[in-house]
């Protein structure tokens, strides 16, 4: 009976508040009630968490990406067990501070050690409460950069202009608050590495060929970079290409934009862009463009295991063209970075490679 009331309350609050804050609070309160109940019963409280970082807890959905299974394995955190006590305390502290302070949390660095620890804790909390991370109203500083034919307004009304050919703008830390997006871009190019991104800026790539938007998450993308790509795709309806190194790590990063990651699979609907196209560097481009042999890097043990892991994933086996490229790379046992193109000619990437690829449809 009591449970039914909670459902009704929750529904009403969710409908009343566009930010779902009340919904989040209700869920946190319920978790805390359980802890308090255990303590009052003389038992050691436990927290039950979804196993975020486990391939067994996600499944692949063709139009969405990686989504969390309904019945995922659960980890139990006990406060009386040395191996999980610290994490237990961190989680509780975070939940309590959400209830009382409700705003920015980066106020006790000593407690958490590093921002990475705190980030991981926040992901745990949002996963446990089954709410998107941004509903916790904790905005992390973005590590990504964006440039090109794009202007928009931040939530507070600040105008952001990414349309200057020589500089980049940090990706907003509140992507959901962005409005009035104006752009004449013909496509979006996701760039894996900062160095390549810089090269494109230096060569004025966004104005030279045709108007476009370039964005980099500097390696493994953070949530804001992924939200931004998704937002631009939703708003502009233009093709999204990925430019990554021809190595297993580059493919993994591209797959995070396209299909999502295991740890944030419960948010796939707002984070993935299933139509991302692999523009380059394709393993088959290595021969096609005669990338000099001396710039190729032999596979390491880590590359070998990463590529084996990639090949077992559902989202690769449903794309024969990708599978063929990955097989070719595994046969070659060599990888090539985007930078290796500059050993063909200094501006080869921006003057020859990308224009050709885009003009003749060299993506898969
Ligand atoms: C960006 O600059 C170009 C060239 O100056 C212009 O044609 C275009 O309209 C600008 N785009 C936006 C979104 O302001």
């Amino acid at each position: 009976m009591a449970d039914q009331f909670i459902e009704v309350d929750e529904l009403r609050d969710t409908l009343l508040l566009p930010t779902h804050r009340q919904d989040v609070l209700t869920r946190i309160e319920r978790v805390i009630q359980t802890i308090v109940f255990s303590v009052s019963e003389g038992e050691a409280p436990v927290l039950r968490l979804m196993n975020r970082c486990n391939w067994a807890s996600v499944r692949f959905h063709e139009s969405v990406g990686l989504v969390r299974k309904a019945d995922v394995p659960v980890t139990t955190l006990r406060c009386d067990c040395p191996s999980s006590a610290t994490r237990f305390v961190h989680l509780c502290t975070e939940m309590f501070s959400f209830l009382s302070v409700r705003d920015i949390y980066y106020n006790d660095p000593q407690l958490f050690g590093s921002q990475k620890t705190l980030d991981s804790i926040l992901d745990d909390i949002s996963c446990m409460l089954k709410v998107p991370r941004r509903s916790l109203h904790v905005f992390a500083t973005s590590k990504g950069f964006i440039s090109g034919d794009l202007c928009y307004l931040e939530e507070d009304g600040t105008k952001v202009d990414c349309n200057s050919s020589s500089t980049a703008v940090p990706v907003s830390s509140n992507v959901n608050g962005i409005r009035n997006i104006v752009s004449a871009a013909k496509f979006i190019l996701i760039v894996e590495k900062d160095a390549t991104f810089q090269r494109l800026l230096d060569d004025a790539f966004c104005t030279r060929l045709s108007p476009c938007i370039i964005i980099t998450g500097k390696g493994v993308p953070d949530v804001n970079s992924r939200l931004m790509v998704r937002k631009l795709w939703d708003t502009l309806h233009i093709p999204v290409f990925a430019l990554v190194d021809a190595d297993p790590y580059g493919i993994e990063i591209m797959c995070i934009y396209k299909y999502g990651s295991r740890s944030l699979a419960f948010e796939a609907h707002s984070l993935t862009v299933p139509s991302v196209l692999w523009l380059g560097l394709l393993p088959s481009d290595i021969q096609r463009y005669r990338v000099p042999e001396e710039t190729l890097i032999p596979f390491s043990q880590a590359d070998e295991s990463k590529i084996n892991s990639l090949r077992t994933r559902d989202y690769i086996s449903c794309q024969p063209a990708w599978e063929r490229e990955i097989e070719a790379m595994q046969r070659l046992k060599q990888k090539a970075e985007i930078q290796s193109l500059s050993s063909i000619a200094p501006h080869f990437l921006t003057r020859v490679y990308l224009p050709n690829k885009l003009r003749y449809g060299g993506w898969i």
Side-chain angles (χ1 to χ4, degrees):
M1 196 61 181
D3 262 2
Q4 255 173 349
F5 279 113
I6 291 174
E7 300 288 7
V8 173
D9 267 359
E10 214 179 354
L11 187 64
R12 191 201 56 213
D13 293 334
T14 312
L15 293 175
L16 279 179
L17 286 167
T19 61
H20 304 297
R21 165 163 275 169
Q22 202 53 50
D23 183 35
V24 179
L25 289 178
T26 311
R27 288 172 197 225
I28 291 181
E29 273 163 10
R30 216 186 292 162
V31 173
I32 290 175
Q33 270 167 10
T34 336
I35 296 174
V36 173
F37 182 75
S38 306
V39 174
S40 64
E41 292 285 290
E43 290 164 7
V46 292
L47 289 174
R48 299 166 71 75
L49 299 184
M50 249 67 73
N51 262 342
R52 281 191 297 117
C53 298
N54 192 332
W55 281 107
S57 62
V58 293
R59 80 190 151 74
F60 169 59
H61 190 290
E62 213 155 321
S63 63
V64 182
L66 290 179
V67 291
R68 204 182 53 189
K69 285 184 190 162
D71 53 340
V72 300
V74 168
T75 309
T76 307
L77 286 187
R78 302 186 60 88
C79 75
D80 59 348
C81 161
S83 64
S84 60
T86 318
R87 199 152 157 232
F88 183 94
V89 171
H90 278 164
L91 273 169
C92 291
T93 317
E94 272 309 306
M95 284 190 294
F96 280 113
S97 63
F98 185 84
L99 288 173
S100 55
V101 185
R102 296 190 185 184
D103 264 316
I104 301 301
Y105 297 73
Y106 298 109
N107 52 9
D108 197 352
Q110 266 100 38
L111 179 61
F112 297 106
S114 73
Q115 181 154 330
K116 221 168 141 221
T117 318
L118 180 54
D119 260 357
S120 166
I121 291 168
L122 290 168
D123 285 342
D124 278 340
I125 294 179
S126 71
C127 190
M128 177 171 70
L129 301 173
K130 303 200 191 78
V131 295
R133 160 78 180 263
R134 59 193 169 280
S135 298
L136 296 176
H137 292 257
V138 182
F139 299 128
T141 330
S142 302
K143 71 174 178 133
F145 277 90
I146 189 163
S147 183
D149 194 312
L150 174 70
C151 290
Y152 60 84
L153 292 183
E154 290 277 7
E155 192 167 36
D156 64 2
T158 314
K159 189 170 186 220
V160 179
D161 183 0
C162 312
N163 204 10
S164 142
S165 55
S166 56
T167 53
V169 173
V171 170
S172 169
S173 54
N174 176 14
V175 174
N176 283 324
I178 289 179
R179 58 208 156 88
N180 294 29
I181 294 178
V182 181
S183 171
K186 298 279 181 274
F187 61 89
I188 297 162
L189 182 64
I190 297 168
V191 182
E192 176 192 351
K193 282 185 182 163
D194 197 24
T196 314
F197 183 85
Q198 203 55 51
R199 182 18 92 70
L200 297 183
L201 278 184
D202 293 346
D203 290 0
F205 178 75
C206 292
T207 48
R208 208 179 263 272
L209 190 64
S210 65
C212 65
I213 297 168
I214 57 175
I215 182 165
T216 181
K218 296 189 179 174
V220 178
D222 58 358
V223 169
N224 291 329
S225 306
R226 295 173 56 195
L227 280 172
M228 190 67 189
V229 174
R230 173 69 198 227
K231 176 117 188 172
L232 291 173
W233 182 62
D234 280 343
T235 316
L236 303 173
H237 308 288
I238 49 177
V240 183
F241 298 112
L243 180 62
V244 298
D245 287 342
D247 63 24
Y249 192 66
I251 297 170
E252 173 92 302
I253 286 173
M254 176 167 56
C255 287
I256 291 178
Y257 286 102
K258 188 176 170 84
Y259 299 115
S261 59
R262 279 171 300 173
S263 65
L264 291 175
F266 61 99
E267 278 201 75
H269 289 268
S270 60
L271 288 175
T272 61
V273 179
S275 67
V276 168
L277 297 161
W278 189 1
L279 185 68
L281 188 62
L282 301 180
S284 62
D285 288 339
I286 296 176
Q287 283 188 331
R288 190 173 300 123
Y289 289 90
R290 300 210 172 76
V291 177
E293 183 75 29
E294 66 274 15
T295 64
L296 303 179
I297 307 159
F299 256 30
S300 66
Q301 195 57 50
D303 292 320
E304 195 67 53
S305 22
K306 172 65 77 191
I307 206 161
N308 284 328
S309 143
L310 281 169
R311 291 195 57 185
T312 61
R313 299 185 197 166
D314 296 347
Y315 57 59
I316 299 291
S317 49
C318 74
Q319 296 219 89
W322 284 41
E323 211 171 18
R324 273 196 298 279
E325 290 291 340
I326 293 172
E327 277 165 15
M329 184 193 291
Q330 201 171 24
R331 267 199 311 279
L332 207 64
K333 288 200 184 305
Q334 278 182 320
K335 45 189 189 172
E337 298 183 307
I338 301 285
Q339 292 98 302
S340 64
L341 291 175
S342 60
S343 60
I344 302 175
H347 297 281
F348 194 80
L349 173 68
T350 49
R351 305 242 172 109
V352 183
Y353 182 80
L354 290 176
N356 269 318
K357 282 254 159 184
L358 292 161
R359 198 168 297 136
Y360 302 114
W363 56 78
I364 54 173

